[in-house]
Each structure stands twice: as C-alpha cells, then as structure tokens.
Amino acid sequence: MMIRRATRIPANQTPRGYSPIAAAVIAAVGGQAALAQDSGGLEEVVVTAQKRAENMQDVPISIDAIGNEKLEELNIRNFTDYVRMLPSVAATPSIGAGAGFSAVYMRGIVTGGDGQATTSQPSVGTYLDEQPVTTIQGNLDLHLYDIARVEALAGPQGTLYGASSQSGTIRIITNKPEIGKFSAGYALEGNMVDDGGNGYVAEGFVNVPLGDRVALRLVGWKTKEAGWMDNLRGTRLYPGDVSTAADNFTVDNASLAKDDYNTLDTIGARAALRIELNDTWTVTPTAQMQEQKSRGSWGDDLSDFAPGTYAVKHFREEYVKDKWYQLGLTVEGQIGSFDLTYSGNYLNRDVDASFDYSDYSYWYDNLYTSGYFAGLFLNNAGGRPNPSHSFINNDAYSKQSHELRLSTDQSKRLRGLLGFFYQKQEHDFEQPFGNIPGLADSMLMNGDEPNGEKFPGVVYLNSLDRVDTDKAVFGQIAYDLTDSLELTVGARFFEPEVTVNGFFGYGLGFSPARAPTGSEPGAVANGGSGAFSPMGQGWSRNGEYRCKSQKQYKDAPCQNVAKGISESEHIARANLRWKASDDAMFYLTWSEGYRPGGINRNPFAGDYISDFLTNYELGWKTTWMDNRVQFNGALFMQSWDDFQIGFQGANGITQVANGPSAEVNGVETQLQWLPVDDLLISATAAFYDSELKDDYSNFDAAGNVVSVNAPKGTALPITPKFKGNLVARYGFNVGDFDAHVQGSVAHAGKAASRLALDANAIIGDIEANTTLDFSAGIARDSYTLEFFVQNLSNEDAALYKTSQCAESVCGVQPYGVRPQPRTFGLKFTQKF
C-alpha cells in the first residue's frame, strides 16, 4: 500500500512550470487531479498563496499547508485542532465559549489584552475562500469537512491580503464543484471523553454534474461535542457592611450545578455552483452557513474555590448562540491577454451569549472593606438584591468585501498583477454587565421602564456601533533576471477608517450631580443640556454623566461616544528567488505588514494609529533522495514598531495605545520523509526569540514615567519559544484490506500569559504541554473504518490563563483553558 497525498487545485488555474500536456490533463478533470510523482516519491502540494495556483515548493513564502487527506487523517475538525498542528500559529481560547471567540497570532506578534469590541483589529488575517472573515472579538470556527486545504502563510502578507495580515494569514480553501464528474461521500463518528460525556459527528457531500458546463456541490454537517467540565454545587457569601452582618448575602447555584457542563452543538451547510460560460469564463456562486450552540464554561477554575481538575463553581447561566452565513461570487475569465478575477462576498454573523461574572462582583466587593456593593445596589424596599453578576454579549456583525484582480500571462518573463479592494465591516454590539434581578427603579438607566423592562438590572452598559472600512490598491511585478533568478516587488496603498458611536458606562443611578464646566461634554456651550441631578449613588462620571443630553440613542440611554479616525498609508514587499536546481529553491524577502489604527471609547483617552511590522527573511525549499525527502525552512528577523497594546485604563476601562517596539527573530522548518512507499514521516517546528526594544511604561499627563510594566528585553507573551509536531503514518495490507496506523505528537513550550510582569506574576505562565494522538483503521473499496484516541497521555496543562477582571483584583481566582481530556472515537467513512 503506497501512501499518496491527493492535492486538489481550482480549475482554470494551472501551476506555473507545468507542460501544456500536463495542463490539459489537469483541466480535463476539472482541476482536481492528484499530482503524483512517477518515481513514487512525495507528491506535490499546490497552493494559491500568491493569488495563483503554484507548486508549494516554488512559492517563496514560509507556508504550512494541511491538505484534504491530511485533515481527515489527523481528524482535524475545528480551529483548535489545526492551530495545534501549525507551529507558526498561537491562540488564546475563550474560557466562556467552546468556539468562535479565540484570538489568533502568528510568529510571536502578540501583546495580549486585545479581542474586545473597541480594541485593535487582529494581527492575523483569516480567509474563508476569497473573503477575509477576520472579526475583532474572535474568529469564525468553521467545521472542517470537504476542505481542500488550510494554508498558514507566516510573516507579513499585507501587500496581497491587506489589513490584519500584519504577521500572517490563515486561509481555509473549500473544495469546489467538479464539472463532468459525480462524487459523494459521508462520515459518521461516535466519541467519548474520558470521565466526560459522549459526542458524535455526521457529515456528507455530493457533487452533481448539471450538463457539460455546470456542476453543483452540496455539503452538510451536524456535530455534538461532549462536555467534561463540572459546575460544582456550592454557595458564596457576599459580605455586607463590616459593622454588621445584616447585609450579608449568600448565593447558591443549585439550579445550575451539573456534571459535563460544557457542551457544543454545531450544524452547518455549504452549496457551490460552478458554471463554465465558455472556454475562458467561469462563474462560481457559493453560500454557506453554520450555527453553534454552547453551554457552560471551558475555563477551569485554578483556585481553591472550585477544587479538582475540570471544575468551576458558577452562579449565573452561561451559553453562546453563534450563527453566521456567507454569500460569495467569484468570476474568472480573460480579457485579451489578461486574466481577470472578481470576488464579492457578504458575511452576516449574530452572537447571543451570557457569561457568569460572579467573580467580578465578589472580588470588587472584597476590595472595599465598607461593603462596596452592599451600599451600592439596592432593591425598591431598600434591601440588598442578589449581587452576583452576569455579562451578556449581543453582537451583530456584517461584512462585505470586493476584490478585482488583473494579471498577465504567468509564462512570460515579465509578469504583473494589479488589484483593487474594498471592505466594510459593521459591528453593532450591546454588552450589559451586572444584570441584577430586582435592582431598584432609582438605579435604572435613562429611558428605562418601571421595573427595568428595557435594561433589566443593568449596572454598566456598552452599546456601540463600530464601522471599519478599508480601500486599497495593490500590485505586484515579477521579472526573470535569468532562467533561475526571479525578482518580485509589490506594494499596497490603503485608506482605513473606523468610527464608533453609542454609549458606554453607568446610568444616572450611579452618577454624581452634574454642573458641567465648559470643557465637559454636557456643557451648554458644547451643545449639552447642562446640569442635572442624579437618581442614585452619584459616584461615577463614566456613563450618562458624559452624555451631552439625556436624549435616547438607538438601544442606549443616551450618546456619549462619537469618534472616528482615518489614515492613508502604504506598505511594500521585495523578494529575490533563486531556483538553484530542480530540487532546490532559495529566497530573500523584505516585507511590511500593518494593522489599522482606531479610537478609544473613553473620551479622555486618545486615538491609536496603525502599527507596522518589518520582516527580513531567508528561506529555502528543497527535495532530496529522488523526491523522498523534503526539507523547507525560513530564518527571519522582525521589527514591530510602536505596537498597539490593550490595557485597563482609568476606572478599569479597557483602552489601546501605541506602546514601545519589539523584535522577534526565529526559524521555521518543515520535514517530510518517505523512507519506504508505505511509511510517511512529517515534522514541523518553529523557534522564536522575542524582546522589547524599550520599556513598556505607564506615564502621567505630563509624559513622565510613573511605573514600568515590563522593562526592555522582556519577551512577548502567549507564543512559546518552541512549538512543533511529529506525525508518522504506516500503511500495510491485511488480507483484502488496506490498513494503517498513525501516531502524532504536538508540543508547545512555556510562555508568559501577560506582558506586564506584575500581572503575569499573579496569573502565572502558560505551562508547556504535549499531546499524543493515535489512530488505526482499515479500508476496502469505497469505505474506511478507523479507531482513534486523542490526547492519549491526558495532558491537562492550561493552554491559556485569564481572570474575570483586572489581575490585581480577580487574579487570585484565575482560569485555565485545558486541552480536551483523553477522547476515544470510532469513525466510518464512505465515498462514491
């Protein structure tokens, strides 16, 4: 049994360097041919990293590509799975959701503290086919089935991929319809988490020719991920005024306590239609959707409050409903000697979520010995309502993007590409905090109804509309200096803009009496309503106090945020590629990446501008021993100037500022070895060394250093110094069956969880972790039966650590997101 790696490429996109006969063969089968070597060596992998189909060994970029078969062999189904197998990628998974809220980073470009609705855009772009689907509060977690490949392009990709591809780009490429060929398949899986619940996966596809020039591909999936976290039964005492126990309040979670608390259900579908209008023009409309419903917490309470592993003790309901759909249209054709590609896409995403925030209210309560919340939150009878908090997250996203590309004949000595790009993302989010049942009418927000029907028990509210737009022109020219030496230069000119309008803060019940001076937003001279009297405690100037008037604004009590920023910048890239032989290619790259600036909701916090990453890279792509060994790698130096960093500013409000600069140097390597036809060994590894070039400090209003959070030389957080994996797969015959066994190991080293040293000392480092997977199966004709074990060693080191509020307050009760415990599964697959 010889191990083969079938590689799918889009029709009408022939890898440069193939003969006309090979091109004709590939086109004849709809672009889905397996490009195997006659020698029985390693197969070629075709990628579209440079907006055209190419053999990966010819692309002068550090790329990790996981193809269709490898995705199936490694049982990779979601974001967490493929991040584990991509050494250049790091992530911070959410403690409150099983999917859809993870932040992703590449090549060590990370400070932590981002991922909130009004903070920085991500530094890594995520693409689903031709559309950027990067969202500020977390990536789309698409269930991976019938996927051609996942590509991780390390290093700045901004010239071709634009904003949020500052340090790299992740591309998820779906399988496209095949004209003239019927095919179908399905997979059924049952799994069981050790000391946890049971789950299943059901998925299938069908490809149907509709005449000689049209094909339809339909894909669907439904999954249930088992839980393993327990919400322990317990109580929590919120102390009242220190002079008396009369205001003490004990909360009980009897109605929410449950074993295997965290579950995730996913259902989704995809449809694509490919139409060949003639020999040179094709149109491919696509539509896909997915809905995920999760309950519980994925963060393990690492304190003594919830003893044991995989356990919390929470007092408010926790759930996430994440639903999105995407519509896309790709048009490919020729105009004279130019190839034209248009891609238009629309993404709509709605998130309805609620998270326990009882730690937040408890630890702030204990911060004030006079009983902070005891005297602050009252019911209509003057007593104390249940002080445990929740955090509700109601978000509506929409994103449209349009890209038009013109490229010249790729077989010519001088080749070029010109592109035009437009993108608009709208994010309407409503995030009420507190949500205390029975909160007194006197503490309700402006415009609320009696008994709080409009803002029920809301203590603090973010209700903001954020709009990000990006216009860009980009281009690239490649010239063959000699038959073996190619020079490529590219640039991107862009104009990003962001606006934020809405409300943040507390209601009148928590505001002081206002008699605004001429410098304050409520002053008559500034168009405000002037003085007013508060209804309640009168201790916070954040919220309704800062509104110009008490006129309601959309879904908010009034408007106190109306800010925006626009920029006009450019970045560039230069690459020199040397094809030393048929088996060796070397390249030198200088490239830049960027991330747009933005605004802070706090009116006293300034804006932040774009930060830039400069990359210097030496790479190689080589094959050895008659194409039985493939060794690729890259050495790089990166300079990250005036990087954006999120932190808790005045009154605990998260804000972003341009901080110091940093350097990240490293090496990335990939090895594939086929010692015999039936044994494939592959390994990837990344080594990173990062440090601040300047102190990360706090400053006063006069610009003087107040304190140093992290001195010069401190390593950046989240990304370990080493991350790598090793996979071995052996095929053999058992009677009439083709059989296989496979083992894999993935390791990530130790890393800081926070950049600020005092905060990291409280929360703790992210510990090193190693996971082992094993699978064995048999195949005959069209079907395969496989048994697998994931996390065989039951690794439980936390992949990320955080807390519900500032480390100085809530840090004594940290949470860690651990790997899913040992999981056993049986999978049946059939393809026609």
Side-chain angles (χ1 to χ4, degrees):
M1 173 184 174
M2 180 178 174
I3 294 179
R4 295 276 186 186
R5 185 84 59 220
T7 304
R8 302 182 185 276
I9 65 172
N12 294 342
Q13 293 188 3
T14 303
R16 183 167 176 250
Y18 282 88
S19 68
I21 295 177
V25 172
I26 294 170
V29 296
Q32 310 252 347
L35 302 177
Q37 298 296 305
D38 293 337
S39 64
L42 294 167
E43 291 191 356
E44 298 174 355
V45 176
V46 175
V47 297
T48 53
Q50 297 191 110
K51 304 285 187 177
R52 63 179 185 267
E54 298 174 283
N55 178 1
M56 190 174 75
Q57 292 300 100
D58 292 331
V59 179
I61 298 175
S62 180
I63 305 176
D64 280 322
I66 307 176
N68 179 278
E69 286 192 13
K70 194 169 184 180
L71 289 169
E72 294 182 2
E73 291 169 1
L74 294 174
N75 206 28
I76 291 176
R77 294 194 298 253
N78 54 39
F79 173 81
T80 301
D81 292 339
Y82 68 73
V83 165
R84 186 167 58 93
M85 302 306 292
L86 296 174
S88 61
V89 181
T92 56
S94 168
I95 66 170
F101 284 84
S102 299
V104 58
Y105 310 99
M106 294 185 73
R107 276 197 173 173
I109 301 301
V110 53
T111 62
D114 47 10
Q116 294 196 20
T118 57
T119 57
S120 303
Q121 290 197 30
S123 62
V124 173
T126 303
Y127 274 68
L128 179 53
D129 288 324
E130 289 285 339
Q131 184 183 26
V133 293
T134 313
T135 55
I136 294 165
Q137 284 191 281
N139 62 293
L140 294 184
D141 197 350
L142 174 70
H143 176 75
L144 298 183
Y145 177 69
D146 198 43
I147 300 297
R149 63 191 175 275
V150 176
E151 298 176 1
L153 318 181
Q157 307 296 326
T159 52
L160 289 181
Y161 293 98
S164 293
S165 286
Q166 180 185 48
S167 61
T169 302
I170 295 175
R171 306 180 68 228
I172 301 172
I173 313 297
T174 61
N175 281 327
K176 302 302 185 293
E178 298 180 63
I179 292 176
K181 177 183 178 181
F182 174 84
S183 60
Y186 66 92
L188 300 173
E189 175 191 316
N191 56 67
M192 177 182 66
V193 177
D194 201 4
D195 292 327
N198 301 320
Y200 65 81
V201 177
E203 50 197 9
F205 80 93
V206 61
N207 187 93
V208 183
L210 303 175
D212 295 336
R213 290 186 175 270
V214 182
L216 174 67
R217 195 176 191 94
L218 301 174
V219 186
W221 57 89
K222 190 176 191 303
T223 74
K224 177 183 178 181
E225 296 188 24
W228 65 88
M229 292 285 301
D230 297 336
N231 190 22
L232 304 178
R233 171 71 189 278
T235 61
R236 186 169 226 169
L237 173 66
Y238 286 78
D241 192 287
V242 294
S243 62
T244 176
D247 288 330
N248 288 353
F249 199 105
T250 299
V251 295
D252 192 314
N253 71 350
S255 62
L256 298 174
K258 184 180 180 181
D259 291 341
D260 306 332
Y261 182 52
N262 58 323
T263 60
L264 174 63
D265 295 298
T266 302
I267 187 170
R270 180 167 61 248
L273 182 70
R274 188 169 186 85
I275 306 170
E276 290 185 351
L277 301 177
N278 53 40
D279 291 341
T280 58
W281 285 88
T282 63
V283 177
T284 309
T286 60
Q288 47 194 323
M289 61 78 62
Q290 181 172 278
E291 181 175 4
Q292 293 182 305
K293 296 180 180 179
S294 68
R295 289 194 171 276
S297 170
W298 272 255
D300 188 357
D301 191 333
L302 304 179
S303 72
D304 294 334
F305 183 65
T309 306
Y310 311 120
V312 295
K313 195 184 295 182
H314 284 175
F315 299 87
R316 299 297 295 266
E317 186 179 14
E318 299 179 282
Y319 62 84
V320 176
K321 299 176 183 178
D322 185 356
K323 183 176 182 179
W324 58 267
Y325 67 86
Q326 181 200 43
L327 305 175
L329 175 67
T330 300
V331 180
E332 301 166 285
Q334 292 181 342
I335 299 178
S337 60
F338 294 95
D339 293 328
L340 179 145
T341 302
Y342 165 77
S343 176
N345 298 272
Y346 177 78
L347 174 70
N348 182 280
R349 183 184 187 188
D350 287 301
V351 176
D352 178 16
S354 180
F355 307 100
D356 177 89
Y357 235 50
S358 56
D359 297 357
Y360 184 99
S361 55
Y362 177 80
W363 289 109
Y364 268 109
D365 190 30
N366 280 268
L367 182 64
Y368 295 85
T369 57
S370 60
Y372 174 68
F373 288 123
L376 188 60
F377 302 142
L378 304 173
N379 56 33
N380 285 328
R384 191 180 186 193
N386 184 337
S388 62
H389 282 198
S390 70
F391 163 43
I392 293 175
N393 201 101
N394 295 324
D395 289 48
Y397 307 79
S398 66
K399 189 169 192 173
Q400 61 169 304
S401 64
H402 303 271
E403 183 171 287
L404 179 66
R405 300 192 303 271
L406 288 170
S407 59
T408 63
D409 188 343
Q410 296 300 302
S411 66
K412 301 296 185 181
R413 186 172 186 178
L414 178 65
R415 305 170 295 282
L417 179 149
L418 177 65
F420 304 88
F421 179 79
Y422 173 80
Q423 175 179 276
K424 182 177 182 181
Q425 175 175 293
E426 298 177 274
H427 185 181
D428 178 4
F429 59 95
E430 182 182 37
Q431 300 171 340
F433 293 77
N435 310 300
I436 300 175
L439 190 66
D441 292 345
S442 63
M443 295 185 174
L444 302 178
M445 291 195 165
N446 174 53
D448 208 342
E449 306 296 332
N451 300 316
E453 284 89 348
K454 189 170 184 181
F455 304 110
V458 175
V459 175
Y460 185 99
L461 175 67
N462 289 323
S463 183
L464 298 162
D465 297 322
R466 173 170 177 165
V467 179
D468 292 82
T469 59
D470 185 16
K471 304 173 185 177
V473 177
F474 61 94
Q476 182 171 283
I477 295 175
Y479 180 68
D480 293 333
L481 300 174
T482 68
D483 289 343
S484 60
L485 195 62
E486 176 193 71
L487 176 65
T488 303
V489 294
R492 189 181 190 96
F493 297 85
F494 56 92
E495 295 182 353
E497 180 180 2
V498 57
T499 61
V500 179
N501 291 276
F503 174 86
F504 83 100
Y506 297 91
L508 289 175
F510 304 96
S511 296
R514 189 177 76 174
T517 65
S519 63
E520 293 183 334
V524 174
N526 295 329
S529 59
F532 66 84
S533 298
M535 296 186 293
Q537 299 293 320
W539 62 273
S540 175
R541 293 175 181 267
N542 287 314
E544 293 191 41
Y545 180 90
R546 299 202 186 283
C547 293
K548 284 189 174 184
S549 73
Q550 296 306 294
K551 180 181 179 180
Q552 292 189 54
Y553 177 80
K554 300 180 74 171
D555 295 329
C558 54
Q559 183 177 10
N560 60 13
V561 178
K563 304 176 71 175
I565 184 175
S566 61
E567 299 176 279
S568 180
E569 290 283 359
H570 69 276
I571 55 174
R573 176 180 183 269
N575 173 267
L576 186 65
R577 185 185 71 158
W578 176 40
K579 189 71 172 177
S581 69
D582 290 341
D583 298 323
M585 183 271 286
F586 302 88
Y587 67 88
L588 287 170
T589 297
W590 168 82
S591 58
E592 296 178 306
Y594 77 99
R595 186 169 48 163
I599 66 99
N600 287 295
R601 52 188 160 151
N602 189 336
F604 296 105
D607 302 329
Y608 54 95
I609 61 175
S610 294
D611 58 2
F612 291 84
L613 179 69
T614 304
N615 173 62
Y616 304 88
E617 186 170 331
L618 168 64
W620 62 91
K621 305 281 182 77
T622 63
T623 57
W624 307 79
M625 299 173 60
D626 293 328
N627 199 31
R628 286 186 172 273
V629 176
Q630 184 182 96
F631 180 54
N632 301 338
L635 296 165
F636 61 87
M637 299 185 298
Q638 298 180 131
S639 178
W640 193 16
D641 297 324
D642 303 323
F643 58 71
Q644 299 168 14
I645 183 168
F647 60 95
Q648 287 206 329
N651 302 302
I653 299 172
T654 301
Q655 65 184 66
V656 180
N658 290 93
S661 299
E663 290 182 348
V664 181
N665 304 321
V667 57
E668 296 159 345
T669 60
Q670 306 163 16
L671 174 69
Q672 287 199 86
W673 179 30
L674 194 66
V676 295
D677 285 349
D678 297 327
L679 176 62
L680 177 63
I681 299 172
S682 60
T684 57
F687 304 83
Y688 299 112
D689 182 28
S690 64
E691 65 174 22
L692 294 179
K693 296 166 63 177
D694 311 287
D695 291 344
Y696 167 39
S697 303
N698 292 324
F699 299 88
D700 61 19
N704 300 310
V705 175
V706 176
S707 60
V708 176
N709 297 312
K712 176 181 178 181
T714 300
L716 297 177
I718 309 299
T719 300
K721 286 184 174 292
F722 170 77
K723 183 181 178 184
N725 62 74
L726 175 67
V727 181
R729 185 179 180 90
Y730 179 64
F732 55 97
N733 294 322
V734 178
D736 294 332
F737 293 91
D738 293 330
H740 70 268
V741 292
Q742 176 177 280
S744 67
V745 56
H747 175 81
K750 180 180 178 181
S753 60
R754 300 289 188 274
L755 178 59
L757 299 187
D758 57 349
N760 193 71
I762 297 171
I763 293 292
D765 289 332
I766 301 171
E767 300 169 0
N769 66 87
T770 303
T771 55
L772 302 173
D773 294 345
F774 171 79
S775 63
I778 55 173
R780 183 176 180 180
D781 299 327
S782 63
Y783 64 84
T784 302
L785 181 64
E786 182 177 69
F787 168 78
F788 64 86
V789 185
Q790 294 177 314
N791 194 6
L792 181 64
S793 59
N794 217 23
E795 174 66 80
D796 64 359
L799 305 176
Y800 180 59
K801 293 181 179 179
T802 189
S803 60
Q804 287 190 4
C805 65
E807 292 85 3
S808 60
V809 180
C810 295
V812 294
Q813 191 174 357
Y815 288 80
V817 182
R818 303 181 190 271
Q820 181 171 317
R822 184 187 298 113
T823 301
F824 303 91
L826 190 63
K827 182 176 182 179
F828 177 81
T829 303
Q830 187 170 18
K831 293 183 178 180
F832 308 97

